[in-house]
Amino acid sequence: MKASGRADRLPPYLFAELERKVREKKAAGVDVISLGIGDPDLPTPTPVVDALSRAAADPATHQYPSNRGRPELREAFARFYGRRFGVTLDPEREILPALGAKECVFNLNLAFLDAEDVALAADPGYPVYTGGPLLAGGEPVLIPLRPDLGFAPDLDAVSAADARRARLMFLNYPNNPTGAVLPDGLFERAIAFAREHDVLVVHDASYTETTFDGYVAPSFLETPGATEVGVEVFSLSKGWNMTGWRTAALVGNAEAVEAYWRLKTNIDSGMFEAVQEAAVAALEAGPPREMPAIYERRRDLVCDALHQIGVGVAPPKGTIYVWAPVPDGHTSTSYCELVLEESGVVISPGSAYGPNGEGFFRISLTVPDERLREAVERLRESLSA
Ligand SMILES: Cc1ncc(COP(=O)(O)O)c(C=O)c1O
């Protein structure tokens, strides 16, 4: 049996060896604590769960949903954008529900890339910004995120040849994996670049609701001209503790939203209507208010411990991750393997997020405080010089 050549284009799966070692440790009876994946540990808010229960009991929600989504859901997204960001959206033309940001980012590649077309993807970055273009037959061109520019991509460094072939540009602030918040003027520069080179800017707003120290993250669509050249992917996964629910939306440029819809009608059959009703309840209530303080507390716990074992790290102002340099003499993977070996704690190698992530590791803050404290204690004991 021969699988398609498409999958062969994907880069090797960097977590494979780490996962094998985790399995070995668990089999040997080690109590492994995973700070690898970013999956909120706290439950979805009760009113959202209640709305789902009520809606699921109504047979009217049991049939194929429309891929446009219920008008009530699109209107709820529009009201949320108005309240939260001061952005006015037309629920008929500028909003479409998505089955999570991952689906949406991936399918935008299918909707906008032909063979040989380029998607500009941040390095380090969320892996779907590179896997998506490859699977769509296009080419991801990595733009390094520069720490000296506040983890902005240096758009001036994009070659003329790549700029000519570029159709998509992925941005993401607050940023996974670096935890950086929006660098000054970046959205304006991206809009100018998009106008000059006829590129669709895709801003992944997965972490706008998890920010700290009083920082409030903006929407890309607040920037003048953004809707002419771009879209935003807004997800309820992280901000509302709803990763399993697959609830997001593509919002912004009406032509892009329409192209994505045409593609989607051939791929999936929309979001379960009961989940749509629950998403309306979530948007109306807003994200659970206690979450940023919980992550901020965990962030401080982790950053203090890292300082104590000699790892210099700037506390991030957003996301649910801490991004830190590996000590001298290690690669990302050798350090993560050492940490697992010595302390039974799983952390992610920075190189899994792109070549520019080499030399870093990522810690996720999505485990209960007691487990995080235990993990941090083990790191301190086993790794102190
Ligand atoms: C930057 C970024 N975008 C998208 C996603 C996926 O979000 P969703 O659960 O909405 O598919 C993640 C998940 O970790 C992420 O970090």
Side-chain angles (χ1 to χ4, degrees):
M1 193 185 296
K2 188 177 175 311
S4 84
R6 218 170 288 120
D8 289 341
R9 302 185 72 203
L10 291 170
Y13 184 56
L14 276 173
F15 289 99
E17 183 55 14
L18 200 62
E19 281 175 3
R20 195 186 60 74
K21 290 210 156 90
V22 170
R23 274 196 305 276
E24 247 175 46
K25 286 270 163 212
K26 284 186 175 164
V30 175
D31 171 27
V32 173
I33 304 179
S34 178
L35 308 181
I37 191 168
D39 192 353
D41 53 302
L42 284 148
T44 301
T46 307
V48 181
V49 178
D50 290 347
L52 174 72
S53 305
R54 278 193 306 275
D58 177 359
T61 64
H62 295 180
Q63 290 175 294
Y64 283 127
S66 151
N67 235 323
R68 290 252 180 232
R70 291 167 63 91
E72 292 82 354
L73 178 58
R74 282 183 272 114
E75 283 155 15
F77 270 112
R79 276 194 301 277
F80 178 79
Y81 258 71
R83 272 196 316 272
R84 166 69 177 85
F85 299 116
V87 168
T88 303
L89 290 168
D90 175 356
E92 288 294 316
R93 301 169 57 247
E94 294 179 328
I95 301 176
L96 204 76
L99 304 176
K102 185 175 192 175
E103 175 264 293
C104 190
V105 166
F106 175 73
N107 281 325
L108 285 168
N109 288 287
L110 288 184
F112 286 93
L113 297 185
D114 282 317
E116 312 299 317
D117 285 346
V118 154
L120 300 171
D123 170 21
Y126 180 55
V128 183
Y129 308 147
T130 45
L134 284 172
L135 289 173
E139 185 188 337
V141 166
L142 299 176
I143 345 178
L145 292 188
R146 297 231 330 240
D148 58 314
L149 300 178
F151 289 102
D154 182 2
L155 298 180
D156 294 334
V158 177
S159 75
D162 287 338
R164 223 180 359 262
R165 290 166 59 211
R167 295 275 71 84
L168 291 172
M169 178 199 294
F170 293 111
L171 297 176
N172 161 228
Y173 294 92
N175 180 261
N176 175 18
T178 66
V181 295
L182 179 70
D184 281 347
L186 176 61
F187 283 162
E188 288 80 356
R189 290 197 295 284
I191 291 167
F193 186 98
R195 283 193 174 127
E196 188 180 342
H197 300 289
D198 191 19
V199 165
L200 179 73
V201 178
V202 178
H203 180 241
D204 181 340
S206 287
Y207 296 96
T208 51
E209 308 314 298
T210 41
T211 56
F212 322 123
D213 305 330
Y215 175 80
V216 179
S219 159
F220 172 62
L221 302 180
E222 288 174 45
T223 312
T227 309
E228 286 160 34
V229 295
V231 283
E232 184 154 85
V233 183
F234 187 85
S235 172
L236 303 190
S237 281
K238 313 291 173 154
W240 278 259
N241 303 333
M242 288 177 70
T243 46
W245 297 62
R246 317 313 301 133
T247 45
L250 180 68
V251 301
N253 185 277
E255 262 180 68
V257 168
E258 183 70 13
Y260 169 72
W261 170 78
R262 274 211 316 275
L263 182 94
K264 256 176 88 70
T265 54
N266 288 283
I267 292 181
D268 65 61
S269 296
M271 189 188 290
F272 178 26
E273 294 221 354
V275 170
Q276 294 191 47
E277 289 195 24
V280 170
L283 288 163
E284 293 303 344
R289 281 195 193 88
E290 65 280 11
M291 291 314 301
I294 291 172
Y295 289 129
E296 191 174 315
R297 185 172 71 227
R298 294 176 180 176
R299 172 202 69 174
D300 291 343
L301 193 74
V302 167
C303 290
D304 288 350
L306 290 176
H307 279 134
Q308 284 174 27
I309 58 174
V311 176
V313 56
K317 281 196 163 31
T319 75
I320 49 182
Y321 310 110
V322 171
W323 180 247
V326 301
D328 287 346
H330 279 285
T331 65
S332 292
T333 27
S334 75
Y335 188 64
C336 293
E337 284 172 18
L338 174 81
V339 168
L340 177 64
E341 194 52 45
E342 301 274 308
S343 62
V345 174
V346 180
I347 56 177
S348 305
S351 48
Y353 304 92
N356 225 35
E358 180 50 55
F360 291 84
F361 64 94
R362 193 193 79 172
I363 285 183
S364 167
L365 304 173
T366 53
V367 294
D369 285 32
E370 320 80 70
R371 288 295 272 170
L372 192 63
R373 232 173 263 123
E374 156 92 27
V376 153
E377 203 43 54
R378 288 196 210 167
L379 289 178
R380 226 190 329 248
E381 274 173 21
S382 59
L383 298 172
S384 293

